[in-house]
Amino acid sequence: MIKDSSIAPGFRGDINGLRAWAVLAVIFYHFGVPGFGGGFVGVDVFFVISGFLMTGIVVNGLERGGFSLLAFYLARARRILPALIVLCAVLLTLGWWVLLPLDYKALGAHAVSSLVFLSNIKFWREAGYFDAASHEKWLLHTWSLAVEWQFYLLLPVVLLGVWKWRPGRRGVVVVMVVGLLTSLALSVVVTSLRPTAAFYLLPTRAWEMLAGGLVFLLANRWALTARQRTVLEMAGIALVIGSIAGFAASSPWPGWRAMVPVIGTAAVLLAAQPASRWTGSSIAQWLGTRSYSLYLWHWPIVVALTYLEWQADSMAIVAGLVLTLVLGDLSYRLVEVPARVHLNRFRLGWGAAALLGTAIAMAAPGAAVFLKDGVTGRFASEIEVIEAEALNKNPRQGACHIGTGAGSPSCRFGGEQLRAIVMGDSHANAIVSAVAAATLSSKDGVMEWTSSGCPIMQGVKSTIFENWPCVDFINWAVREMKGISSEIPVVIVNRHGQYALGKNEGHGKSNIPEVYFSRQYATSDSEYLKEYGDHLTDTACQLALSRPVYLVRPIPELGTDVPKTARSMVWGQRTDASISLADYHQRNAFVLKAQDAARDRCGVKILDPLPYLCPDGRCIDVKNGRPIYYDDDHLSEYGNKLLIPMFAEMFRLNSGSSAGI
């Protein structure tokens, strides 16, 4: 029988029990268990613990005079890599049988980035308006492992340099305090400006680990009584629990808010209560010992529930939690412990070579899957055609559709003779090629002015973003129009349902406004919708004073990602994503009323896509076996061509305008 080598001399049960709190918080949060809306702070708890333990290892080694960088890195690799390699191997193997090419390609890329501990950078670069839902990335949780590993790489090098400059703990404390304050300040600033970068990257997370390191360095300076330790621990636990219950996914993170669980964790570490009722129970010790494997395996199970559309099924959630415990225990007993025991028997160089070779051997198939575009041909062609439509979007989306900033690249589509300006949000970006294809001559073209998540209404404000670029974009567009011939019409396309009522994809709260004007409303009540409609009408009429204005009726929002319905076809099913006209009218009644008011008041023209997208009383998701959307609400390049007759009629009506620039 292999002995559990994780119970090492100096083992602190309170830290192990604190790991249990952290991993349970993360797991319950990801499974959507009520009361754990801020469970993501468990990662922050892990960061502080890691900083405490790693600083202790390095400083103790330096004080003994026998610290080895290679031995430190190998010990960390022995702890992290074996279970991660097994997880990647299992996912890539199962993925061959159940994941369609696009999903399998993404898994391959994420496996490689996880194994080289760069997944935090990978997910940061993927994140954004057009990013796939986080619950569809099988290895998303490995971002935190990457952050920790990057910290592990830098910490001993920095401390070695400080130690040579000024031996002893005092110099280390000074450097770590400076590092903590710098990283914390950066975190606070970047969280408000670039929240995704702040969440994923080491510079804005390092302060959390440095906080743990400082607790280790300063702990012996205070002689605490037993009562003081008890009070300190209870205060720390209260801060951690308060963070779990009080914060939510909408809380900007990390920033200053992360100080709450970080200070709480630091307090528990400083209290050092080995027999605490909070951390010392047998259940807490069992969970804490297996926390790494539990963390590794819980997230793929959460993703699997999403793939199977069981994420809201209470019985499926319970089964997922039980499976997490089973797989976490098996991974700990059959992978973590044996790997550490056997790798400890190797000489330093051989152990490093064995781990590196195994990691490369696992990364190679992941890279091959990515380079082979997910290995097409494993499923029936009609299934893969449906999934592939997710990529059939405006090929110039990245260059022409802006996410931030006041201006626009003013991309031209079609010929050089300008015949229309297409203006709006991502729904406008999704149909601009159809507008260009509808022009009357090959010399005619259109210009795109679109900004992500931006409703074209003056005076609009966001309930979500503090520094919202939409306002600057609208003001810029109004100024730019003054330099363009008044005969050139503007075609406005917006997803008004989302801004006024919230998204309808099954996540997020409904009837909660995303924008406001005079004041913020708690819900999208009739008073709010009237104010919204009035601003829509007023803006359209204001623009109509200087040029023809065409308002496109809202594109139907299906609420179901159409290309991803191919996943259910793998299991012999087909999800119908179409919606009824009645559902469409119920969601968009306030928009239609406001657009009609603009038509009646100031001669704005209405373009109605419903005859082309909603035949026979239903708004379709597929035509001729192929999706007309590249997700749940954006028309694909195939689907938008259904609207060419509508835009062609617009150009015929406006054919008297011959001016252009």
Side-chain angles (χ1 to χ4, degrees):
M1 179 177 177
I2 295 175
K3 183 181 178 181
D4 183 354
S5 62
S6 68
I7 311 301
F11 175 81
R12 279 184 53 174
D14 59 321
I15 294 179
N16 197 47
L18 193 55
R19 286 195 185 105
W21 280 84
V23 77
L24 281 181
V26 173
I27 290 172
F28 287 163
Y29 166 69
H30 284 150
F31 275 99
V33 177
F36 288 83
F40 54 84
V41 307
V43 172
D44 303 271
V45 174
F46 278 126
F47 283 165
V48 180
I49 292 173
S50 292
F52 179 92
L53 295 175
M54 295 309 106
T55 302
I57 291 171
V58 176
V59 171
N60 286 336
L62 291 171
E63 289 178 333
R64 289 193 305 267
F67 179 74
S68 165
L69 268 179
L70 181 58
F72 176 84
Y73 292 146
L74 182 57
R76 307 285 66 74
R78 281 198 302 262
R79 175 76 175 92
I80 296 174
L81 271 175
L84 178 60
I85 290 171
V86 170
L87 175 67
C88 291
V90 170
L91 291 179
L92 285 169
T93 301
L94 293 177
W96 175 271
W97 302 105
V98 299
L99 294 185
L100 291 163
L102 292 183
D103 294 330
Y104 201 35
K105 179 181 180 179
L107 174 61
H110 295 161
V112 174
S113 64
S114 298
L115 290 168
V116 298
F117 298 110
L118 293 174
S119 58
N120 62 323
I121 297 174
K122 172 70 173 172
F123 293 125
W124 162 58
R125 296 188 64 179
E126 287 182 355
Y129 184 81
F130 297 103
D131 186 29
S134 61
H135 279 67
E136 297 169 2
K137 297 179 180 180
W138 296 88
L139 292 167
L140 179 67
H141 61 321
T142 64
W143 75 269
S144 63
L145 305 183
V147 170
E148 287 190 336
W149 185 259
Q150 290 157 18
F151 181 78
Y152 297 162
L153 287 176
L154 293 175
L155 177 71
V157 174
V158 172
L159 296 191
L160 273 170
V162 173
W163 204 267
K164 289 182 179 180
W165 166 60
R166 178 173 291 183
R169 294 193 178 194
R170 178 168 300 194
V172 172
V173 169
V174 171
V175 170
M176 291 186 73
V177 167
V178 172
L180 184 152
L181 293 177
T182 303
S183 175
L184 175 57
L186 190 65
S187 180
V188 171
V189 172
V190 177
T191 297
S192 63
L193 299 176
R194 297 287 186 272
T196 303
F199 186 87
Y200 281 118
L201 300 184
L202 177 63
T204 48
R205 288 288 193 168
W207 68 274
E208 302 180 46
M209 289 167 275
L210 291 171
L214 284 171
V215 171
F216 171 81
L217 292 168
L218 301 175
N220 293 332
R221 296 193 176 190
W222 297 296
L224 301 175
T225 65
R227 179 174 177 78
Q228 288 172 332
R229 291 181 184 277
T230 300
V231 171
L232 189 60
E233 183 198 37
M234 290 181 64
I237 292 292
L239 288 175
V240 172
I241 293 176
S243 299
I244 294 170
F247 291 119
S250 59
S251 305
W253 205 264
W256 65 266
R257 293 169 180 82
M259 294 176 65
V260 180
V262 167
I263 292 173
T265 305
V268 175
L269 294 175
L270 191 60
Q273 294 277 71
S276 166
R277 62 176 180 174
W278 296 101
T279 59
S281 69
S282 57
I283 294 176
Q285 292 302 304
W286 189 91
L287 291 169
T289 304
R290 291 154 178 78
S291 60
Y292 176 54
S293 282
L294 291 170
Y295 180 78
L296 279 184
W297 284 97
H298 90 280
W299 180 252
I301 296 171
V302 171
V303 176
L305 294 184
T306 301
Y307 268 63
L308 295 170
E309 299 182 357
W310 293 347
Q311 65 270 32
D313 187 309
S314 58
M315 292 302 297
I317 291 172
V318 171
L321 290 169
V322 172
L323 185 58
T324 295
L325 293 176
V326 171
L327 292 179
D329 181 56
L330 290 174
S331 174
Y332 173 74
R333 290 190 294 109
L334 302 181
V335 180
E336 282 195 70
V337 173
R340 270 178 273 171
V341 170
H342 293 306
L343 286 170
N344 271 330
R345 295 171 181 168
F346 285 99
R347 291 183 178 179
L348 203 59
W350 284 109
L355 273 174
L356 181 61
T358 306
I360 292 174
M362 193 64 257
V369 167
F370 173 75
L371 294 173
K372 291 289 186 180
D373 290 325
V375 193
T376 58
R378 291 176 292 118
F379 300 92
S381 60
E382 57 267 24
I383 298 177
E384 294 190 357
V385 163
I386 290 177
E387 189 212 25
E389 197 65 23
L391 299 178
N392 191 24
K393 57 185 71 173
N394 187 334
R396 300 170 65 189
Q397 184 182 80
C400 302
H401 182 58
I402 66 171
T404 59
S408 168
S410 298
C411 294
R412 294 289 189 101
F413 290 77
E416 289 299 315
Q417 190 73 18
L418 182 63
R419 294 302 182 192
I421 301 168
V422 178
M423 186 176 174
D425 54 20
S426 57
H427 279 207
N429 172 264
I431 58 90
V432 65
S433 65
V435 183
T439 54
L440 303 180
S441 167
S442 61
K443 296 180 180 180
D444 296 339
V446 301
M447 185 157 60
E448 176 184 354
W449 287 354
T450 63
S451 180
S452 180
C454 185
I456 306 303
M457 293 184 292
Q458 292 188 309
V460 68
K461 305 177 184 69
S462 174
T463 63
I464 303 172
F465 304 106
E466 294 180 7
N467 301 310
W468 198 29
C470 177
V471 176
D472 293 333
F473 172 79
I474 295 171
N475 293 334
W476 170 88
V478 170
R479 291 193 303 269
E480 285 294 304
M481 284 186 192
K482 295 177 182 178
I484 296 176
S485 168
S486 61
E487 295 181 340
I488 301 301
V490 60
V491 180
I492 300 177
V493 189
N494 271 131
R495 187 187 180 185
H496 291 291
Q498 172 185 335
Y499 307 125
L501 304 172
K503 296 181 179 179
N504 66 332
E505 294 96 310
H507 51 78
K509 297 179 180 178
S510 60
N511 292 321
I512 305 296
E514 293 187 3
V515 301
Y516 68 99
F517 303 93
S518 63
R519 66 179 179 87
Q520 293 196 39
Y521 288 75
T523 61
S524 307
D525 58 22
S526 58
E527 184 180 355
Y528 168 78
L529 293 178
K530 181 181 185 305
E531 184 175 13
Y532 188 105
D534 289 344
H535 276 77
L536 194 163
T537 301
D538 292 344
T539 300
C541 285
Q542 186 67 29
L543 292 173
L545 292 175
S546 60
R547 69 188 59 254
V549 173
Y550 290 84
L551 297 181
V552 178
R553 298 288 199 200
I555 301 298
E557 304 161 273
L558 303 188
T560 299
D561 193 307
V562 184
K564 289 173 184 173
T565 61
R567 293 171 181 170
S568 62
M569 296 175 70
V570 173
W571 310 102
Q573 302 173 348
R574 170 71 172 94
T575 301
D576 180 9
S578 66
I579 62 172
S580 69
L581 268 176
D583 289 338
Y584 173 90
H585 284 290
Q586 180 180 9
R587 180 168 172 83
N588 294 289
F590 72 100
V591 184
L592 308 184
K593 181 179 179 180
Q595 290 179 334
D596 288 346
R599 177 195 61 199
D600 297 339
R601 185 199 304 178
C602 51
V604 166
K605 307 294 192 302
I606 305 296
L607 298 176
D608 188 1
L610 296 189
Y612 310 95
L613 303 179
C614 306
D616 304 321
R618 292 197 69 80
C619 299
I620 61 174
D621 57 339
V622 172
K623 188 175 180 65
N624 299 326
R626 185 175 176 180
I628 64 171
Y629 290 81
Y630 68 74
D631 56 14
D632 63 283
D633 59 270
H634 295 88
L635 291 175
S636 69
E637 288 296 288
Y638 169 71
N640 73 25
K641 300 307 183 288
L642 298 176
L643 302 183
I644 288 178
M646 179 182 77
F647 292 120
E649 180 63 20
M650 176 194 74
F651 283 117
R652 281 192 289 272
L653 292 174
N654 206 56
S655 60
S657 302
S658 58
I661 61 172

